[in-house]
């Protein structure tokens, strides 16, 4: 029984075969279907070269011709198709020096990282499994295809992949492969931050993330990750927290909090990881409110300034750190919903109103007055109604004049 995404793509494989080539489903989708996991996209490998695929299919997009990958749009769906290849000569522990296109599926499977990822399936659902990937899956084992030291020496990123698969699948790493993780960890130094980030973030949100993090520490791989070299203590703390349902940015927030970084150092840390600016800002905000929460309870003003998302994230993290249940969600949402305004622009008066009422030249005073109005509205001391705000301003001014 093939899953719908395979059934849908089977005619595509057939077309390639009709043109005289071989084509198979490979990699993560085959592995995940055997695991009963949801599959996102199906990867396809073929003996046809990219130029040959272009002759078969009218709609293609060049995405990585040099590596033998093109995108074929088939019945409106894009498929990544990669030509069988062997990877010759790794001289710098990173990427193959050159790509060798080959016509043999077995050789292509041989260059893949782990046995569970080195299976192929034909269009009728028959499995090609020369490296016993199925057995590895039954035993819940992550095992390199061939000698682990050699394979990690060829491409050190594979070590990060091993750890993130532990986090995603809850598998353990086969003994020799695991020893090689420790032995070869230092080679991770050569890997680009961008590639490490992808794997590290998958690790952070895996269902078995505590096991993944634990292995990252145990093997010493963390020494060679950005800004984590001597951070054993902070990382270790994560293992005592039930991380289950935290989002990616909540995980980053918790990490920098446990590392004890202040705002400036957090920014430096996240920049070293090359986290996108938008994410960086969100983490800094979450961190601010988490630390606020450890010293204070929520007030209307804090809820307003934090916003609903940061407030809930901060509360959740605060409870996790204490080891307490997070059952405040409803109460906090209610508190937030009850706020008379959610942002400055909702105030019933504008800068123009103030200019008219005060008969003063525009200047920074406008912002100051609006901010005072804003706070009093949030604190429930003033209704967000234009005439009332005006009355209140006159009243305040009188007081000022009396002083
Ligand atoms: P995911 O479900 O996260 O996409 P995946 O196994 O499909 O996991 P991809 O990065 O999409 O991972 O790679 C697809 C396939 O390519 C893998 O299953 C594996 O066979 C092979 N592969 C990927 N990266 C490497 C690598 N660094 N070394 C060797 N083979 C690799
Ligand atoms: Mg994939």
């Amino acid at each position: 029984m093939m899953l719908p995404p395979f059934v849908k793509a089977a005619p595509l494989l057939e077309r390639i075969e009709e043109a005289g080539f071989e084509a198979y489903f490979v990699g993560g989708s085959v592995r995940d279907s055997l695991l009963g996991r949801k599959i996102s996209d199906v990867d396809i490998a073929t003996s046809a070269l990219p130029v040959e695929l272009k002759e078969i299919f009218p709609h293609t997009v060049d995405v990585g011709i040099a590596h033998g990958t093109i995108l074929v749009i088939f019945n409106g769906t894009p498929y990544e198709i990669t030509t069988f290849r062997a990877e010759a000569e790794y001289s710098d522990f990173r990427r193959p020096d050159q790509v060798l296109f080959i016509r043999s599926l077995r050789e292509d499977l041989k260059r893949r990282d782990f046995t569970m990822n080195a299976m192929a399936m034909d269009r009728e659902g028959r499995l090609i499994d020369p490296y016993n990937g199925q057995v590895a899956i039954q035993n819940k084992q992550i095992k390199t295809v061939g000698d682990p030291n050699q394979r990690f020496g060829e491409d050190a990123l594979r070590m990060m992949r091993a750890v993130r698969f532990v986090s995603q699948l809850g598998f353990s790493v086969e003994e020799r492969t695991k020893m090689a993780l420790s032995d070869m960890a230092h080679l991770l130094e050569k890997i680009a931050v961008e590639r490490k980030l992808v794997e590290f973030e998958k690790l952070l949100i895996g269902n078995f993330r505590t096991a993944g993090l634990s292995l990252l520490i145990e093997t010493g791989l963390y020494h060679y990750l950005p800004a984590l070299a001597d951070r054993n203590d902070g990382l270790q703390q994560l293992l005592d927290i039930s991380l289950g349902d935290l989002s990616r940015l909540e995980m980053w927030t918790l990490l920098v909090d446990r590392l004890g970084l202040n705002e400036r150092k957090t920014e430096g840390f996240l920049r070293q990881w090359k986290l996108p600016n938008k994410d960086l800002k969100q983490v800094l905000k979450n961190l601010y409110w988490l630390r606020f929460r450890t010293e204070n309870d929520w007030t209307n003003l804090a809820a307003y300034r934090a916003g609903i998302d940061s407030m809930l994230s901060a509360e959740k993290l605060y409870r996790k750190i204490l080891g307490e249940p997070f059952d405040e969600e409803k109460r906090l949402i209610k508190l937030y919903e009850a706020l008379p305004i959610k942002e400055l622009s909702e105030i019933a008066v504008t800068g123009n109103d103030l200019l008219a009422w005060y008969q003063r030249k525009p200047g920074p005073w406008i912002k100051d007055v609006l901010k005072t109005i804003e706070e009093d509205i949030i604190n429930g001391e003033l209704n967000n109604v234009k005439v009332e705000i005006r009355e209140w301003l006159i009243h305040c001014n009188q007081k000022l004049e009396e002083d």
Side-chain angles (χ1 to χ4, degrees):
M1 263 296 289
M2 285 200 298
L3 295 172
F6 295 119
V7 175
K8 199 173 155 207
L12 186 154
L13 302 198
E14 200 173 354
R15 282 270 282 281
I16 300 176
E17 287 175 13
E18 279 164 6
F21 303 99
E22 290 176 42
Y24 302 90
F25 299 113
V26 287
S29 57
V30 177
R31 176 199 69 224
D32 287 345
S33 74
L34 291 177
L35 274 166
R37 274 168 54 99
K38 208 174 133 307
I39 61 170
S40 38
D41 40 56
V42 300
D43 293 316
I44 295 166
T46 179
S47 61
L49 293 168
V51 287
E52 292 166 332
L53 289 170
K54 285 186 185 186
E55 281 172 25
I56 306 172
F57 299 100
H59 301 295
T60 63
V61 183
D62 294 355
V63 287
I65 289 274
H67 297 101
T69 303
I70 68 169
L71 209 62
V72 170
I73 320 292
F74 185 71
N75 289 340
T77 308
Y79 292 94
E80 259 195 18
I81 307 189
T82 305
T83 305
F84 294 158
R85 59 182 208 221
E87 285 168 337
E89 292 304 305
Y90 294 73
S91 54
D92 59 358
F93 316 109
R94 283 189 293 188
R95 301 257 188 176
D97 295 335
Q98 55 186 37
V99 177
L100 271 184
F101 295 129
I102 53 174
R103 299 283 186 185
S104 145
L105 172 69
R106 276 186 83 97
E107 286 300 305
D108 178 83
L109 295 178
K110 194 174 171 187
R111 60 101 187 158
R112 293 176 182 270
D113 49 5
F114 304 110
T115 59
M116 63 179 184
N117 290 341
M119 293 179 285
M121 190 172 77
D122 71 12
R123 65 184 163 83
E124 284 170 78
R126 282 181 297 242
L127 212 62
I128 297 100
D129 181 16
Y131 305 104
N132 295 319
Q134 269 176 296
V135 176
I137 286 177
Q138 267 155 24
N139 298 336
K140 295 178 174 264
Q141 257 194 358
I142 297 165
K143 185 174 191 259
T144 51
V145 176
D147 177 62
N149 286 60
Q150 184 194 331
R151 301 311 308 282
F152 294 153
E154 287 165 1
D155 181 358
L157 187 75
R158 289 171 186 156
M159 295 187 279
M160 278 304 284
R161 286 174 57 87
V163 180
R164 77 103 152 154
F165 282 124
V166 166
S167 171
Q168 285 181 323
L169 307 176
F171 283 20
S172 56
V173 180
E174 174 269 339
E175 208 47 47
R176 271 184 61 211
T177 303
K178 189 166 160 183
M179 273 167 30
L181 285 179
S182 304
D183 291 348
M184 310 300 271
H186 61 280
L187 296 180
L188 203 56
E189 220 160 39
K190 319 267 180 186
I191 300 294
V193 173
E194 290 84 348
R195 296 178 79 207
K196 290 176 184 171
L197 176 65
V198 170
E199 299 302 329
F200 188 62
E201 290 203 314
K202 287 184 178 174
L203 188 166
L204 285 182
I205 55 170
N207 282 339
F208 305 87
R209 56 191 85 176
T210 300
L213 285 166
S214 171
L215 187 64
L216 197 72
I217 299 172
E218 187 190 336
T219 53
L221 278 166
Y222 72 96
H223 284 299
Y224 307 97
L225 293 178
L228 283 175
D230 44 10
R231 292 319 197 110
N232 185 301
D233 285 357
L235 284 170
Q236 197 77 41
Q237 282 189 51
L238 293 182
L239 305 184
D240 299 328
I241 297 172
S242 126
L243 304 170
D245 49 351
L246 296 176
S247 72
R248 181 175 65 90
L249 294 183
E250 286 166 353
M251 285 298 293
W252 281 109
T253 308
L254 186 63
L255 175 60
V256 291
D257 180 65
R258 293 297 93 186
L259 293 175
L261 305 181
N262 62 22
E263 188 179 331
R264 192 178 52 80
K265 291 209 163 130
T266 295
E267 197 175 331
F269 177 85
L270 298 176
R271 286 207 192 286
Q272 266 185 277
W273 269 103
K274 303 203 175 179
L275 214 68
N277 249 323
K278 196 164 141 275
D279 292 348
L280 186 148
K281 289 214 175 92
Q282 191 61 51
V283 172
L284 282 172
K285 188 175 176 195
N286 286 350
L287 183 68
Y288 176 87
W289 290 106
L290 167 60
R291 288 180 176 168
F292 165 89
R293 181 63 183 98
T294 54
E295 312 249 295
N296 312 274
D297 206 340
W298 294 105
T299 60
N300 283 354
L301 194 62
Y304 174 78
R305 296 250 184 264
I308 185 70
D309 293 343
S310 272
M311 175 166 64
L312 291 179
S313 287
E315 179 71 23
K316 194 169 170 189
L317 289 169
Y318 169 68
R319 295 290 170 185
K320 292 256 177 209
I321 291 166
L322 291 178
E324 292 176 1
F326 170 51
D327 45 22
E328 294 281 273
E329 186 163 353
K330 281 218 183 78
R331 183 180 74 84
L332 294 182
I333 292 174
K334 237 167 134 180
L335 181 141
Y336 184 80
E337 292 302 328
L339 292 174
I341 57 172
K342 306 287 189 287
E343 47 190 294
L344 191 62
S345 63
E346 290 175 32
I347 297 184
V349 301
T350 64
N352 278 335
D353 293 327
L354 297 181
L355 285 171
W357 297 343
Y358 280 78
Q359 300 286 318
R360 271 180 70 182
K361 277 193 213 139
W365 64 271
I366 295 180
K367 213 173 139 204
D368 293 341
V369 175
L370 283 175
K371 277 198 114 141
T372 317
I373 299 172
E374 178 189 39
E375 277 195 26
D376 285 350
I377 291 175
I378 295 294
N379 289 329
E381 286 157 23
L382 175 61
N383 288 327
N384 188 26
V385 175
K386 196 162 174 173
V387 287
E388 293 190 32
I389 296 172
R390 185 161 182 217
E391 285 296 310
W392 176 83
L393 285 175
I394 292 167
H395 175 75
C396 289
N397 273 358
Q398 273 172 353
K399 269 206 298 188
L400 271 179
E401 278 156 20
E402 281 163 13
D403 284 347

